[in-house]
Amino acid sequence: MTASDSLRTLEGLLPPRPGAGLDVDWPTIEEAWGTEFPHDYKEIITRYGDVLLGEYLEVLAPGVFTPDTCDEPGAPLGGMGFITADARDIWVDTAPVGVDVKSEELVTWGAASSADLFCWLARGKPAEWPVLVFSHGDDVWTRLDFGIAEFLCRVLEARPGVEVMDDSPLWGQPHPAYASSAERRRVREAESPQDY
């Protein structure tokens, strides 16, 4: 399945809502990170923003704070840079034996409420970056040779190749609840009493 096919399938499962996506300055972000990001990821961020799927998996939005700068004074803790730095530390402690991957080649694009992490092996062309899933409970990494859009479609449709996710709340849930941080913030503001 091509990335374009996966994005069309994903839109059928999760129709984008107005105001959910993020307008990202990709040249600035990619300069800060020193790499181009995969096209399907950019499209997901543009259509859905930093989306939380089923109260379980959040697709992280990039910022100019990279793993190398996320702990600098004035840089907020949290976000994609901080979680990527954490994933790289975890890789050093838990990497499979005989796997030729440097921790610096990991970029985290998602995090789960279970503390599982979803990364790319950022080596070669971004369109070819495989997904690496870190299963926190087992301290095990699983490599999946396709991109983020196909990964999400396979999980939501319970298709072969992503059995590492078969006990997650998203498995086989083709239309999970989802919301970007902007949507979640609007709901919180509407539910909280106004200060006058």
Side-chain angles (χ1 to χ4, degrees), residues 91 95-101:
W91 178 266
V97 176
V99 175
D100 182 28
V101 173

Side-chain angles (χ1 to χ4, degrees), residues 85-99 101-103 106 115-117 119 132-143:
D86 191 38
R88 290 174 178 180
D89 289 343
I90 291 169
W91 178 266
V92 170
D93 295 334
T94 62
V97 176
V99 175
V101 173
K102 296 178 179 80
S103 64
L106 297 181
D116 292 351
L117 297 174
C119 305
L132 294 172
V133 177
F134 175 68
S135 301
H136 177 72
D138 302 322
D139 285 349
V140 172
W141 292 87
T142 303
R143 178 182 170 144

Side-chain angles (χ1 to χ4, degrees), residues 17-192:
R17 295 187 289 260
L22 291 175
D23 184 20
V24 174
D25 180 355
W26 290 108
T28 298
I29 295 295
E30 291 173 337
E31 182 180 347
W33 281 77
T35 188
E36 184 179 338
F37 283 92
H39 175 73
D40 59 345
Y41 170 71
K42 291 179 185 180
E43 288 298 317
I44 288 168
I45 295 297
T46 299
R47 296 172 193 186
Y48 301 98
D50 48 353
V51 65
L52 177 62
L53 300 168
E55 298 293 322
Y56 172 72
L57 190 159
E58 183 173 5
V59 177
L60 305 170
V64 294
F65 300 109
T66 70
D68 297 327
T69 64
C70 64
D71 288 330
E72 289 182 0
L77 292 180
M80 194 170 179
F82 182 76
I83 296 173
T84 294
D86 191 38
R88 290 174 178 180
D89 289 343
I90 291 169
W91 178 266
V92 170
D93 295 334
T94 62
V97 176
V99 175
D100 182 28
V101 173
K102 296 178 179 80
S103 64
E104 296 79 27
E105 295 176 300
L106 297 181
V107 175
T108 306
W109 58 260
S113 59
S114 62
D116 292 351
L117 297 174
F118 304 87
C119 305
W120 290 293
L121 170 52
R123 179 191 293 169
K125 297 177 183 175
E128 299 170 359
W129 290 356
V131 169
L132 294 172
V133 177
F134 175 68
S135 301
H136 177 72
D138 302 322
D139 285 349
V140 172
W141 292 87
T142 303
R143 178 182 170 144
L144 306 168
D145 288 317
F146 37 80
I148 179 177
E150 185 170 344
F151 170 81
L152 293 173
C153 290
R154 285 184 184 222
V155 171
L156 297 175
E157 295 182 326
R159 286 195 265 138
V162 288
E163 287 80 7
V164 66
M165 297 291 293
D166 67 0
D167 62 356
S168 81
L170 294 179
W171 183 254
Q173 298 296 317
H175 306 289
Y178 66 97
S180 68
S181 64
E183 291 174 313
R184 296 189 305 271
R185 185 173 46 256
R186 285 192 293 268
V187 168
R188 282 192 307 273
E189 289 170 357
E191 291 174 349
S192 66

